[in-house]
Every structure is written in structure tokens, then in C-alpha cells.
Amino acid sequence: MFYGIDIPSRLMLGTAGYPSPAILREAIAASGAGVITVSLRREGGEGAAFREILRASGCRILPNTAGCHTAREAVTTAQMAREVFGTSWIKLEVIGHADTLQPDPFALVEAARILCAEGFEVFPYATEDLIVGERLIEAGCRVLMPWGAPIGSGQGLRNIEGLRSMRAHFPDVPLVIDAGIGAPSQALQAMEMGFDAVLLNTAVAKALNPVAMAQAFGQAVAAGRIAHKAGLMPPRDMAAPSTPLFGLAELADAL
Amino acid sequence: MISVLGQGVAGLCAATTLAERGFAVEVIAPASAPAAASDLAGGMLAPFCEGESAPPVIVARGHGAADWWAARFAGVVRRGTLVLAAPRDQAELDRFARATAGHVTTDPGVLEPELAGRFARGLHFPTEAHMDPRAALGALRGALIARAVPFRGGPPRGRIVDCRGMGTAAHLPDLRAVRGEMIEVSVPDLRLTRTIRLLHPRFPCYIVPREGGRYMIGATMVESARTGGVTARAVMELLSAAYTVHPGFAEAEVIATGAGLRPAFADNIPAIRRDGARLHLNGLYRHGFLMAPALAADLADILTDEFAHAD
């Protein structure tokens, strides 16, 4: 549940960088995504035609503050997003470094505090740092979005142990792996680890066939979620035969 | 009589083909009409490179463009396209190679001596071409005037072929604007002879050489109908990309900047649409100079067919 809303699929899909809006629309449908994210910072009020296409997809929309570098910019963009889309959901992104696109945790917490007080339901894009996570929750966030790896890098879950700790540290907070996912196997892994959803964009948008890749991610996320709920067997540190050794014919003696 | 509305690349290619096929044509272009988006185009005739993100129909139908323009304009430069990436973005080059055809791997310094030692490898698309788009449009206009095709304001007198890009958005509700920003610089000391595309995960750019040491650097793609001048951010992105290609761009004189709205349909494929008796040739997106000749031929076929049946 994300702010009281249960979404049918645990895949959240970004909408930037597709070959065309028509292919984007097909990709959304093929992925079965429960949520799509949309940026506003650069497109501004005049980006209405593209947003209309997204609205027509029928998918729940999570506007984002991609491209914002200060808390103030992010707050203004969030306020505009609420007006444009009529939703209090906002994926809060405050970039700390233009090259690595790492989140700025200080500005993030500051912006989250302002937005939560204004009644926004904030999805903050953060790192797997536990203290930053606590501060965000203290600010009023009810969802956290740790990165897998830097945006657009396709490196997957770069700090698996750190993410495992975060999952254990916040057992009741919905956690969404946001950014850095390059392959369906990586999304599946995140879901197997018990994360509540995966958000990605480039891996689908820049695939040679975005629609087919969207479908692959949809299936991977669904499989990972089922596997997590089914209860994965723990890895063992030695080979474990599944049939008893006793009673097997001792063929060597027969020779 | 066919009345072509608009004198951007769509209108002039349509009028040219129709006039060449023997139709009586007029071009309706009031003095108050907004400047054509094609004035800001790169002028690349690069079907294979466009195939990186464009559907196969663009690649297939764009092939004839270089010959079409060369038959009507002396300034078509057929030296191919050179695609490069910074060392840390080599994965982009691999992806581009997989997404396109018609290229060979090359040593950029052999093709463009100014780039010697700067890039270990590049992709060369030898059959591609480029030209100065404004000069090319000037040549079409000159040839039409020489054929006594009138260019005028006022109400159209014939069958309407509407080629006004975003100017006709009210007739085409699914037409949207994709904003593009470009700059033009002058660097007489720098000698690049073919279109260079620099791949980057976020700020791809292309550099098209023009006469007299000028270069067109373009172009952003923003899902926005915002008018108004080029943004500082676009200038920063484009110039830093150009600087990555060659530090000589740091000494360039910026001689022009421009921002315009590309007309696009949802699939980003240019199309001819019927709207009652009006025919639209629109949605050229970023493929104007590449695709307008093919669409103009389609248009002439449609009208030839209609006129034949009307007899």
C-alpha cells in the first residue's frame, strides 16, 4: 500500500526518452505498470500535449521533480504538479550532483518536510542510508525510494547488503527501488528481496524494442513478488542432496 | 489549381513536386506568417542515424532524400556522418551500432584529421549527407519562382494542401509540439567536413558544418510547446557537448541561437491527412528534410489519382 492505495502491478515506469509517445503508450500497456512517473521541470506549463497522452493511458500518475537541484525548486515544481495532475502524490527528487545525479539528502529532507506539511504524499528518491530514511519518515514520508544505482546507469543493485539492511530496518515502510535498474533480472532480485516496487525508465525507453522490454520487466517484477511471498529457500553453504544417500546401490563394489 | 499553405520544408517540397508534375500551384505565405521551424533545422540527410530511434519506415523512405535534394540544390555534401562518444560513454556507441545499419567502425582521426588522437573509434555512415537547410529552401523557392509559381498572401484560390506545421494545430488535434533549440557558431580555424554526432546518455548533440567556418549545433528535444528564446541550459548542454568533440569550440563566436516547435504526431511519423477537401502534410518532427520529398511524392500521387477520377 502506497499512501493507502494498492496498485495492481508493482512496476512503476518512467516516461522519458521513448522513441515516440505511441511507443511509450504501447510500452505502458505491455508492462502492466501500476504507476507512471512524469517530469515537469523542463517541459513546464506548455508540456500539456504530452501529458494528455499520459493521462489517456489510464495509469495512476506519479509526477516527479526530476531536474531540480534545490529544495526550493523541488517544492515549486511539486506545487505545479499538484495543480496540473490533480494528485497529491509527488516523487521528490533533489539532485546533488549534475553528473552522478546522486540525491542531495539534506535538501531532500528539507523539501520533504515542507511538502508533507502542505499535505503532499511524498515518494522521496534517496540513497540506502538508514539515517536519511529515518529523517524522511520523521518529515512525514510514508514511502522511501532508495536507489539501486545512479540514474540511467543500469548497474542494478549496487549495494545489496546495504539494501538488505534497509529492508530489515524499515519492515513496515513501503520501499521502492528507484533508479539504476538495467535488466529484468535485477528488478526481479529487488522484488525477491522484499522490496515493495521497482521504478525504472531508461532500461525500457532505450531498449532496442521498448515494448518487448516493458513486457519483460512487468513479468520479472510479478515473478519476484510471487517468489518473495512464497518464501525463498535460504542458501546453504554446502551441497545438500535431496534424496537420502543411504540405500543407494554401491555399484563400485560390484565391479 | 493547388494552393499550398506554408513555405517551410513541407510546403516548398510539396509545391516543387506538384509543379514538376504539371500541376498549377500557388504558395500561400502571408508576410505575417510565423517563421518556419525548418529554418532552424540541422539539414542532415541521415536516414540510418535517425533509425536509432525512428521506425524503419523513416529509414526506408529517407534514402531517396539526398538524391532528391542534390538534383535541385548544388550544396548537398555527401561525406557521411561520423558518430562519436566520450571514452566513458563507449556503451552508447555500442548501443547505437546495434540500433542502426549502414555503418562501419572507423578511426575518427583518419576521417577528420582535427579529431586525431581524441577518439579511439567512431561509426561512419558513409552514404549520409548534409546541407545548409536555408540555402536549400532558397533554391526551391528560386526554382518555383522561375516556373512562375506565385508566392502571395490572401485567400487560397485552389484545392488546399496545408503544410503549416504547428500553425495549423487547430485542424489537427493530435498534433503536438516538440521544442528544439540550436546554436550556430563560427570557428574558422576548425576544419570539420561532415556531420558529427556525439552520443551521450542525457545530452546527445550533432554538429553540422556550414560554409565559411560556421557550425550548427543542435538540438534539444523537449516535450513542450513553449515558445521564446533558447534556454541557458540548452546552450550549456550543446556547447559542452561540442567542446567534448573539440576544444576549439571554446573559442567559437556564437553567431545565432534559435528555438522552434517541431510538429509531431503521436508516432513521430510524418503523414498526409485528409480533412474534408483539405489535405494536410504535417508531423515532420525531426525528419523534415529527410521525409518531405517522399511525402511530397505521395501527395502528388494522391492528387493525380483524384484528378484522373474527376475527369
Side-chain angles (χ1 to χ4, degrees):
Chain A
M1 297 279 270
F2 304 89
Y3 291 101
I5 303 290
D6 203 9
I7 53 172
S9 156
R10 300 310 184 94
L11 175 61
M12 302 183 175
L13 198 60
T15 56
Y18 288 77
S20 70
I23 289 175
L24 165 60
R25 203 156 48 196
E26 281 181 60
I28 293 170
S31 73
V35 169
I36 51 174
T37 72
V38 190
S39 67
L40 281 120
R41 173 77 183 129
R42 192 169 196 179
E43 294 76 9
E46 296 89 348
F50 182 69
R51 290 197 289 268
E52 210 36 63
I53 291 171
L54 298 178
R55 212 175 265 134
S57 76
C59 236
R60 179 172 282 274
I61 291 177
L62 172 60
N64 68 50
T65 64
C68 292
H69 288 255
T70 64
R72 192 183 153 70
E73 255 183 313
V75 167
T76 311
T77 305
Q79 288 162 341
M80 180 186 157
R82 177 153 71 177
E83 254 173 61
V84 167
F85 290 106
T87 173
S88 57
W89 278 21
I90 187 78
K91 183 192 148 188
L92 183 60
E93 213 177 297
V94 188
I95 297 303
H97 193 284
D99 194 36
T100 62
L101 300 180
Q102 241 175 296
D104 174 344
F106 306 97
L108 182 69
V109 171
E110 185 189 338
R113 192 165 283 134
I114 296 168
L115 290 172
C116 290
E118 289 183 14
F120 281 92
E121 295 174 315
V122 177
F123 294 65
Y125 163 61
T127 63
E128 70 277 18
D129 189 283
L130 301 182
I131 308 306
V132 171
E134 284 181 348
R135 289 281 185 272
L136 287 166
I137 290 189
E138 190 182 73
C141 298
R142 296 291 169 263
V143 173
L144 297 175
M145 301 184 107
W147 66 353
I151 295 174
S153 70
Q155 293 174 5
L157 308 182
R158 208 157 69 159
N159 179 4
I160 288 176
E161 292 314 319
L163 288 168
R164 247 190 250 288
S165 302
M166 190 178 194
R167 179 68 285 182
H169 194 74
F170 298 103
D172 302 320
V173 178
L175 299 181
V176 182
I177 296 290
D178 177 11
I181 298 290
S185 56
Q186 298 161 354
L188 193 145
Q189 183 186 22
M191 295 305 293
E192 280 179 348
M193 285 167 65
F195 286 92
D196 295 273
V198 170
L199 194 158
L200 56 98
N201 185 349
T202 312
V204 169
K206 296 297 181 195
L208 297 189
N209 182 342
V211 178
M213 191 60 82
Q215 187 185 12
F217 269 104
Q219 292 178 2
V221 166
R225 171 117 181 116
I226 295 170
H228 174 69
K229 288 203 290 192
L232 290 149
M233 64 165 279
R236 297 183 172 114
D237 57 7
M238 57 181 292
S242 55
T243 45
L245 286 169
F246 296 112
L248 284 185
E250 292 181 35
L251 299 174
D253 284 353
L255 290 174
Chain B
M1 164 73 79
I2 310 289
S3 301
V4 173
L5 312 191
Q7 56 173 340
V9 67
L12 291 179
C13 286
T16 297
T17 300
L18 292 173
E20 288 173 358
R21 297 249 202 125
F23 286 92
V25 180
E26 62 174 0
V27 177
I28 304 296
S32 60
S38 26
D39 283 349
L40 303 173
M44 291 177 292
L45 302 170
F48 286 119
C49 284
E50 289 300 304
E52 181 253 332
S53 59
V57 62
I58 303 290
V59 183
R61 301 214 62 197
H63 275 309
D67 284 342
W68 192 92
W69 286 102
R72 292 159 184 83
F73 172 55
V76 176
V77 182
R78 309 185 90 149
R79 294 181 60 78
T81 304
L82 176 59
V83 179
L84 303 171
R88 71 172 197 174
D89 296 328
Q90 289 302 298
E92 301 297 319
L93 208 56
D94 295 333
R95 180 186 173 277
F96 200 90
R98 276 191 293 140
T100 56
H103 53 74
V104 288
T105 300
T106 186
D107 175 354
V110 171
L111 283 180
E112 296 286 350
E114 292 268 18
L115 300 178
R118 298 194 50 75
F119 295 91
R121 70 186 177 119
L123 298 173
H124 186 213
F125 294 75
T127 61
E128 295 186 339
H130 72 267
M131 61 188 181
D132 183 328
R134 272 165 296 194
L137 293 182
L140 293 191
R141 199 176 296 113
L144 285 164
I145 289 168
R147 283 175 181 269
V149 170
F151 281 69
R152 60 180 193 82
R157 285 176 297 197
R159 173 81 190 271
I160 291 177
V161 171
D162 194 336
C163 301
R164 290 178 297 162
M166 288 311 296
T168 191
H171 286 272
L172 295 167
D174 59 339
L175 195 70
R176 77 186 198 288
V178 180
R179 182 177 153 94
E181 296 149 292
M182 55 77 83
I183 53 181
E184 199 176 26
V185 300
S186 170
V187 213
D189 295 344
L190 186 63
R191 298 208 178 277
L192 299 173
T193 65
R194 50 174 64 73
T195 300
I196 311 275
R197 287 189 188 225
L198 180 73
L199 306 182
H200 184 279
R202 278 174 283 149
F203 321 125
C205 93
Y206 52 78
I207 301 169
V208 190
R210 291 183 177 166
E211 274 187 6
R214 293 175 301 132
Y215 295 87
M216 184 277 194
I217 307 172
T220 58
M221 304 267 291
V222 187
E223 288 284 350
S224 176
R226 175 178 160 178
T227 53
V230 63
T231 61
R233 173 180 166 160
V235 173
M236 285 192 295
E237 286 176 7
L238 294 172
L239 283 178
S240 63
Y243 181 75
T244 303
V245 171
H246 198 288
F249 280 105
E251 309 309 325
E253 179 186 346
V254 177
I255 51 179
T257 64
L261 301 180
R262 307 177 183 92
F265 293 117
D267 56 7
N268 292 343
I269 300 174
I272 293 171
R273 294 274 188 91
R274 279 175 194 282
D275 176 12
R278 181 184 297 246
L279 285 169
H280 289 280
L281 196 167
N282 212 322
L284 269 68
Y285 184 51
R286 50 181 279 166
H287 308 306
F289 286 82
L290 188 63
M291 288 293 286
L295 261 81
D298 291 350
L299 176 77
D301 290 345
I302 290 170
L303 288 170
T304 302
D305 208 38
E306 278 186 19
F307 279 62
H309 284 90
D311 286 342

